[in-house]
Amino acid sequence: MVIPARYASIRLPGKPLADIAGRPMVVRVIEAAKRSGAREVWVATDDERIRTAVEAHGHQALMTRSDHASGTDRIAEVAAQLGWGDDEIVVNVQGDEPLIDPALVARVARALEEDPTAAIATACHPIREAEEFFNPNVVKVALDSAGRAHYFSRAPIPYARDAFVQRRDILPEGFPAQRHIGLYAYRVSFLRRYGTLPPAPTEQWESLEQLRALWHGFAIRVVQCEQAPPAGVDTPEDLERVRRAFDPAGNCR
């Protein structure tokens, strides 16, 4: 497993090192990741302060280039540095998600392991509110009959043509709208190829890097969850919410 962690953040500079019940946030993410059963957990960073903090708490970190175009490229560099084989499965957990569910991480990794035709696995959950469905900041995914991604979009997909003629403030009953959860598992063989793939036109317009894989014919297996996982940390308000989720002893409530 690899946890990308960059120091720079427009809204919350240095957030991987933000204190949560006595430990840096990135360390809290590592602790949750290890509870998933992962054999190895590495932090990939371009900042020595993050590396020092991770290693001071007894965990593993690698320095990576600062000019990667995407998180997937950073994961690929880690796989290359560590010499992982093509058949290895790598899970990417973001360094600002200290409340990530270890069971969900394990489910996504297992889904990829059990589907040899897929290069990537990820997750989704049902969208139940119209406001969320029509929000372009919410990434939607449409699935095929085998539980693989057909398309990802910021647009409202699928579109309930007849129902939305009548009203758009509620979603029709049984509507199969799914929100993408940004948790990924990759085969190392795919990571080795990713950097050589030209960007897809859809990727550039939607600003969604996973569309590059679909454009070039790679299958993405999608685990369907019933509920949304806890949100990550993007703002000072998010950080306070996460801090309240931990008790003084550092246990997640």
Side-chain angles (χ1 to χ4, degrees):
M1 182 178 301
V2 179
I3 301 169
R6 300 183 65 228
Y7 191 88
S9 172
I10 295 174
R11 289 180 286 184
L12 194 60
K15 70 178 176 179
L17 301 182
D19 180 83
I20 298 177
R23 294 184 188 173
M25 177 163 56
V26 67
V27 172
R28 292 296 181 192
V29 178
I30 296 168
E31 292 168 345
K34 288 189 171 182
R35 291 196 295 272
S36 73
R39 290 196 305 272
E40 297 181 66
V41 177
W42 289 85
V43 170
T45 185
D46 58 1
D47 192 285
E48 283 287 355
R49 288 166 290 188
I50 295 174
R51 177 181 182 173
T52 298
V54 168
E55 293 180 345
H57 285 83
H59 303 294
Q60 300 177 113
L62 279 178
M63 295 299 296
T64 54
R65 287 166 33 203
S66 60
D67 59 348
H68 284 303
S70 71
T72 307
D73 292 303
R74 193 173 302 280
I75 304 298
E77 182 186 348
V78 171
Q81 282 197 47
L82 295 176
W84 287 337
D86 283 353
D87 293 332
E88 293 287 330
I89 290 174
V90 183
V91 179
N92 175 8
V93 173
Q94 295 303 309
D96 59 3
E97 297 193 16
L99 300 180
I100 189 72
D101 180 6
L104 176 58
V105 174
R107 281 185 65 193
V108 170
R110 188 166 58 249
L112 184 56
E113 185 178 21
E114 294 173 351
D115 187 348
T117 66
I120 305 170
T122 188
C124 69
H125 69 83
I127 297 175
R128 297 184 172 91
E129 302 296 331
E131 181 179 2
E132 184 178 22
F133 180 66
F134 288 103
N135 183 348
N137 294 317
V138 172
V139 178
K140 277 71 68 173
V141 58
L143 307 179
D144 66 15
S145 62
R148 298 189 183 95
H150 182 66
Y151 190 67
F152 296 87
S153 184
R154 299 181 183 279
I157 62 168
Y159 195 82
R161 186 194 64 175
D162 295 338
F164 291 151
V165 168
Q166 303 299 320
R167 59 187 306 178
R168 289 163 51 108
D169 58 329
I170 62 170
L171 299 181
E173 186 175 352
F175 186 54
Q178 298 283 342
R179 179 174 187 164
H180 179 226
I181 299 170
L183 171 67
Y184 294 97
Y186 304 96
R187 296 191 192 281
V188 170
S189 57
F190 168 79
L191 290 172
R192 295 194 198 289
R193 290 200 55 192
Y194 181 80
T196 69
L197 300 174
T202 49
E203 169 193 1
Q204 294 174 310
W205 286 104
E206 295 257 23
S207 294
L208 296 173
E209 66 177 271
Q210 63 268 37
L211 291 175
R212 187 182 310 185
L214 291 182
W215 178 265
H216 290 283
F218 293 94
I220 302 177
R221 179 75 168 82
V222 185
V223 170
Q224 298 183 63
C225 308
E226 283 303 311
Q227 301 295 331
V233 176
D234 288 320
T235 66
E237 293 74 22
D238 292 336
L239 180 57
E240 290 308 312
R241 168 180 53 79
V242 168
R243 283 171 169 162
R244 290 192 297 270
F246 284 80
D247 66 25
N251 300 308
C252 186
R253 295 189 180 99

